[in-house]
């Protein structure tokens, strides 16, 4: 199967929690929904875009905060306490630096109209081209070896 590239959307706080988890990172999307995670395959790349620092935050962080590769194994449930049991996928995150999206807007193929660039992110998770993933990874100064780019 072909390796695919994905953008996932979450607050930076949530994306960082998955990125910094040890011994292996994880991802959650859509407030812990199962269906989007089933679309991912082992070896797929994922970059997290964060519109704000905290969930429902009003700041405009508008940055890519993590980038990595989906690991073998399917979605699994994880009890986070207080009755919240979201679905997760394991991800090996590459060393990288958070970077704002603004300098990339005119160059990203998935952005059809730069004046309405934020529209696509409303989907929560969507696939992108190899070229767009390469552009994001380069802007993040990501470890390209980890990403097989």
């Amino acid at each position: 199967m072909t390796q695919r590239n994905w953008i996932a959307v979450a607050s930076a706080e949530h994306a960082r929690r998955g990125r910094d988890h040890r011994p292996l990172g994880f991802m959650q999307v859509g407030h812990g929904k199962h269906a989007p995670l089933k679309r991912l395959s082992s070896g797929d790349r994922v970059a997290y875009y964060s519109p704000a620092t905290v969930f429902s935050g009003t700041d405009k962080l508008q940055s890519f905060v993590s980038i990595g590769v989906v690991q073998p194994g399917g979605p699994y449930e994880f009890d986070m306490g207080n009755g919240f049991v979201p679905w997760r996928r394991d991800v090996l995150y590459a060393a990288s630096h958070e970077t704002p999206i603004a300098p990339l807007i005119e160059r990203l193929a998935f952005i059809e109209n730069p004046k309405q660039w934020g529209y696509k992110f409303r989907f929560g998770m969507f696939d992108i081209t190899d070229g767009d993933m390469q552009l994001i990874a380069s802007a993040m100064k990501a470890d390209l070896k980890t990403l097989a780019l």
Side-chain angles (χ1 to χ4, degrees):
M1 183 169 252
T2 305
Q3 185 177 34
R4 294 175 72 185
N5 303 291
W6 301 90
I7 298 286
V9 181
S11 71
E13 176 183 44
H14 290 174
R16 290 169 185 151
R17 184 178 299 146
R19 178 193 68 198
D20 297 339
H21 188 265
R22 297 293 176 253
L24 187 62
F26 66 87
M27 68 178 292
Q28 295 173 192
V29 292
H31 308 293
K33 291 188 174 120
H34 182 242
L37 296 178
K38 292 192 305 185
R39 297 169 55 200
L40 301 166
S41 297
S42 175
D44 284 359
R45 298 178 198 98
V46 61
Y48 260 99
Y49 170 77
S50 297
T53 304
V54 296
F55 178 67
S56 296
T58 57
D59 69 303
K60 293 186 184 298
L61 182 63
Q62 299 175 336
S63 294
F64 291 102
V65 299
S66 59
I67 188 167
V69 178
V70 177
Q71 297 299 287
Y76 59 91
E77 291 180 290
F78 183 84
D79 188 347
M80 293 186 70
N82 297 321
F84 183 49
V85 185
W87 289 88
R88 290 182 171 179
R89 286 291 301 254
D90 289 335
V91 176
L92 174 63
Y93 286 100
S96 63
H97 299 279
E98 297 183 15
T99 191
I101 191 173
L104 306 177
I105 290 172
E106 296 283 339
R107 298 169 52 201
L108 290 165
F110 71 84
I111 296 178
E112 297 168 17
N113 180 349
K115 291 181 181 171
Q116 297 176 328
W117 65 267
Y119 176 75
K120 188 91 172 191
F121 295 98
R122 293 177 177 223
F123 296 103
M125 191 177 89
F126 56 92
D127 62 330
I128 62 172
T129 65
D130 286 344
D132 278 353
M133 185 58 78
Q134 176 74 47
L135 179 62
I136 293 164
S138 294
M140 296 181 76
K141 297 177 176 50
D143 174 13
L144 301 182
K145 186 175 179 182
T146 300
L147 299 171
L149 281 172

